[in-house]
Amino acid sequence: MLNAAMRTNWGRLAVAVLGALIYALGINLFVAPLGLITGGLMGLCQLLRSVILMALGIQSMQFELAGVIMYAFNVPLLILAYRSMGKVFFRNTLICSTAYSLFASIVPVPAVPIVEDMLTGCLLGGVISGTGVGLTLTSGCCGGGVDLLGLYLAKRGAKMTVGRFNLFFNAALFVACWALYDLPTLIYSVLNTIFNAVSMDRAHRQSVTVQVLIFTKKDTQELGRYILENLHRGITRWEGRGVYTGEATHILCVCMNKYEIDDLREALHSIDPKAFFIVQEGVHVSTNFERRLS
């Protein structure tokens, strides 16, 4: 069912919004009741929420203020996405960041932790929230925040990967948290962030470069036009011959990322159902190859 939804643009967007809901459930039901801080922009917003509530002398609120603060931070980042990353990416990011902030605000935070053990709670919260983020990224969408800023820096050619930027940001965040939280809370918060990152990697079909070899006996003009005009990938073609049948075979070689395989499979089935292709993952491509981060 999930694979079927991922084959359409609106299906991917629906999966991304579902990922935002799962993320909010993990944070609000398991992490926030234990007083832990998660990483990324949400962690910064939780820190600011604590500072604001302490300054106002308020113990707790009926909704999660961090979700509202997160959306306020995302506004300038959304403007950045609109100006530099295209209208489609801006639309998807706007919807996803709104979903993240909305769910983070309306999913109730239990007054009493569902799981009282700190280690179990940060494990469950990290796994659930990381799975949600992974689904959003797998859908080719972005929930804004630190990920969006990292994507922008990478797109601008800065010597900074998205993962490295997240690492530096979280390191600075937890150093700042040291001033407000005790050492055990800080340690469990770091563990929660680690669990989150591991689960996100497991759920996210990352932007892995793959080499695709397509074997077809039909004329390659229509298939080649689809790859060039829709996937915007270069193609190398050569002629082969079946050893058993002696029939001529067209062989197309394309390098793309893992997100694009489903689109190619659907088009290939429509154009030539008898064709088959081989996918080799993790190939190293350099020079004239566009690495699409989302």
Side-chain angles (χ1 to χ4, degrees):
M1 181 178 179
L2 182 61
N3 289 334
M6 297 288 284
R7 293 181 180 178
T8 65
N9 291 330
W10 289 110
R12 291 175 183 172
L13 195 56
V15 173
V17 172
L18 174 62
L21 174 60
I22 295 174
Y23 171 82
L25 291 173
I27 296 298
N28 286 12
L29 296 183
F30 296 98
V31 178
L34 295 173
L36 302 179
I37 298 295
T38 186
L41 181 61
M42 174 55 81
L44 175 61
C45 295
Q46 289 174 325
L47 178 62
L48 293 176
R49 173 210 58 200
S50 299
V51 173
I52 292 173
L53 293 183
M54 288 174 58
L56 297 177
I58 301 175
Q59 296 294 328
S60 62
M61 301 184 67
Q62 293 182 347
F63 68 97
E64 180 53 81
L65 181 61
V68 178
I69 300 174
M70 184 169 69
Y71 198 76
F73 272 115
N74 269 323
V75 170
L77 295 176
L78 288 170
I79 296 175
L80 188 69
Y82 181 78
R83 292 180 176 179
S84 62
M85 297 185 180
K87 294 182 179 179
V88 175
F89 183 84
F90 167 76
R91 180 202 66 191
N92 293 344
T93 303
L94 175 63
I95 294 174
C96 289
S97 61
T98 301
Y100 268 77
S101 299
L102 177 64
F103 291 139
S105 298
I106 65 176
V107 172
V109 178
V112 178
I114 297 176
V115 179
E116 295 184 357
D117 181 72
M118 294 285 280
L119 182 59
T120 304
C122 72
L123 171 61
L124 289 174
V127 169
I128 295 173
S129 61
T131 300
V133 176
L135 285 176
T136 299
L137 294 176
T138 297
S139 303
C141 300
C142 177
V146 177
D147 291 337
L148 177 57
L149 191 55
L151 287 172
Y152 172 77
L153 292 176
K155 186 178 178 66
R156 297 283 295 187
K159 294 181 179 180
M160 178 73 70
T161 64
V162 180
R164 189 179 303 171
F165 181 76
N166 273 272
L167 178 63
F168 289 146
F169 182 91
N170 286 329
L173 173 66
F174 287 122
V175 168
C177 289
W178 205 343
L180 293 178
Y181 297 91
D182 55 43
L183 186 58
T185 300
L186 184 61
I187 292 175
Y188 283 117
S189 297
V190 172
L191 288 175
N192 170 259
T193 303
I194 294 173
F195 293 142
N196 176 282
V198 172
S199 300
M200 179 177 62
D201 286 343
R202 293 292 183 181
H204 176 209
R205 291 186 303 170
Q206 300 179 38
S207 188
V208 176
T209 302
V210 299
Q211 176 184 342
V212 182
L213 293 178
I214 305 170
F215 299 82
T216 176
K217 292 183 174 63
K218 292 187 63 175
D219 182 73
T220 59
Q221 185 174 8
E222 183 179 359
L223 179 59
R225 188 185 308 113
Y226 172 83
I227 295 174
L228 290 172
E229 296 180 358
N230 293 274
L231 301 181
H232 306 290
R233 293 298 190 185
I235 314 166
T236 299
R237 189 187 79 176
W238 63 86
E239 303 301 323
R241 187 171 296 276
V243 174
Y244 180 74
T245 63
E247 295 181 355
T249 300
H250 305 294
I251 305 172
L252 303 181
C253 179
V254 187
C255 287
M256 58 182 61
N257 66 36
K258 207 169 181 180
Y259 291 122
E260 297 163 322
I261 293 178
D262 290 336
D263 294 332
L264 177 62
R265 180 185 292 109
E266 185 175 353
L268 188 60
H269 180 74
S270 174
I271 296 172
D272 183 8
K274 295 183 179 180
F276 71 97
F277 64 94
I278 301 172
V279 179
Q280 180 180 358
E281 296 186 8
V283 296
H284 177 72
V285 183
S286 59
T287 314
N288 189 24
F289 179 75
E290 181 184 357
R291 298 188 181 277
R292 297 167 187 169
L293 301 175
S294 62

